[in-house]
Amino acid sequence: ALAGFNRGAAMLEQYQFVEAAKAFEAVLAEMPDWTAARFNLGLAYLNLQEDAGAKDSIDKARAAFEAVLAARPNHLPASFCLGMLYQHLGDNGKAAEFFGKVHAVDAADPFAAYKYAEALLALEKKDEGTALLEAIVAKDPGFVSGVYRLAQQYQRGGQREKAKGLFERFGALKATELTGGTFTVDRPYGSAGKYYFALGADELPIPAAKPAGTRIVFSPEVRQQPGFPIAGAWPCTGGTIGVAGLAAGDLD
């Protein structure tokens, strides 16, 4: 199951979403309670939204994320991805609900804040959305998508000078984007921050160990046992072996 999990994660990183989904389906057949595997399965299906049978894939993605949240209501990656899913479907009310949930817990994440702002603006909540974009750009002046979207909002609101300055900054940022330090938010896998990446295998649901019996605690004091001579050097072919002591232990 662990090998299948790692293979599925590798397929996600290579944008081979059909193969990734197959790998995680097989993993969950063996270990149905593995939260990380179910989330990654949903992520694979969500990224099949443009392929043939997209509606079926979206339904499967939603079922996977909802199952994760049923088991772990505060699972932020699942909430974020449901926001992405509902935004794709045009249900901005639901998208805002899920993005807002993530933003409320992790206000420092600019991607969650940006997606929340997008959903608010789509709902005509212009003041809230614009204020959120302003906070994002103030905190990270190199956030490309935030700069551009805020410039658009200023332009639509008649604040042309503010818009002009931001559009100029956007052009400069885009020119240097590949050198690092700036960010563009997009829909494809891995393009919307940390909550839109595959989870690692660290949440492996290992069965609980059986309760141990009475533990034997050995004395930390060094004592010579009766009948055991003190070990010294002894000769061997080609030289002498000198081990300063004898170690004894019990392995169950």
Side-chain angles (χ1 to χ4, degrees), residues 10-248:
M11 292 298 101
L12 277 175
E13 294 297 313
Q14 296 176 36
Y15 309 108
Q16 297 183 37
F17 302 118
V18 172
E19 295 304 314
K22 289 178 181 177
F24 289 118
E25 289 281 14
V27 170
L28 289 166
E30 295 184 56
M31 304 186 77
D33 297 327
W34 196 347
T35 299
R38 194 164 297 282
F39 170 81
N40 288 351
L41 174 64
L43 200 52
Y45 278 127
L46 182 57
N47 279 274
L48 288 171
Q49 57 192 256
E50 305 297 342
D51 292 17
K55 184 182 184 304
D56 186 47
S57 297
I58 288 292
D59 290 343
K60 288 180 178 180
R62 176 165 40 207
F65 297 136
E66 287 177 348
V68 170
L69 287 176
R72 294 178 54 184
N74 296 320
H75 196 277
L76 296 184
S79 290
F80 184 87
C81 287
L82 277 172
M84 295 287 283
L85 184 151
Y86 283 114
Q87 190 179 53
H88 170 71
L89 294 176
D91 189 340
N92 292 299
K94 294 289 286 184
E97 175 187 340
F98 284 105
F99 288 138
K101 182 178 179 180
V102 178
H103 178 65
V105 177
D106 188 3
D109 184 75
F111 293 92
Y114 177 82
K115 298 304 290 185
Y116 185 34
E118 274 192 331
L120 290 173
L121 292 172
L123 293 169
E124 296 298 321
K125 296 182 178 181
K126 297 178 182 179
D127 291 342
E128 292 178 61
T130 302
L132 202 50
L133 289 172
E134 288 174 334
I136 294 167
V137 172
K139 186 173 183 179
D140 185 353
F143 197 100
V144 177
S145 293
V147 169
Y148 185 75
R149 192 61 191 268
L150 181 57
Q152 286 183 316
Q153 285 305 114
Y154 283 152
Q155 189 173 53
R156 289 167 182 165
Q159 296 176 284
R160 299 185 185 281
E161 286 303 311
K162 285 186 176 182
K164 180 181 177 183
L166 286 178
F167 279 130
E168 289 173 354
R169 187 197 302 181
F170 170 78
L173 289 171
K174 286 293 286 184
T176 60
E177 186 177 1
L178 293 179
T179 65
T182 63
F183 305 94
T184 300
V185 185
D186 209 344
R187 190 165 59 188
Y189 169 74
S191 301
K194 64 185 179 184
Y195 295 121
Y196 200 50
F197 277 110
L199 295 180
D202 54 332
E203 296 182 6
L204 181 66
I206 301 172
K210 294 180 180 179
T214 303
R215 294 187 62 187
I216 301 173
V217 181
F218 292 93
S219 169
E221 299 174 8
V222 179
R223 294 179 296 179
Q224 183 180 354
Q225 299 300 312
F228 287 88
I230 296 176
W234 67 90
C236 70
T237 303
T240 302
I241 294 177
V243 179
L246 176 68

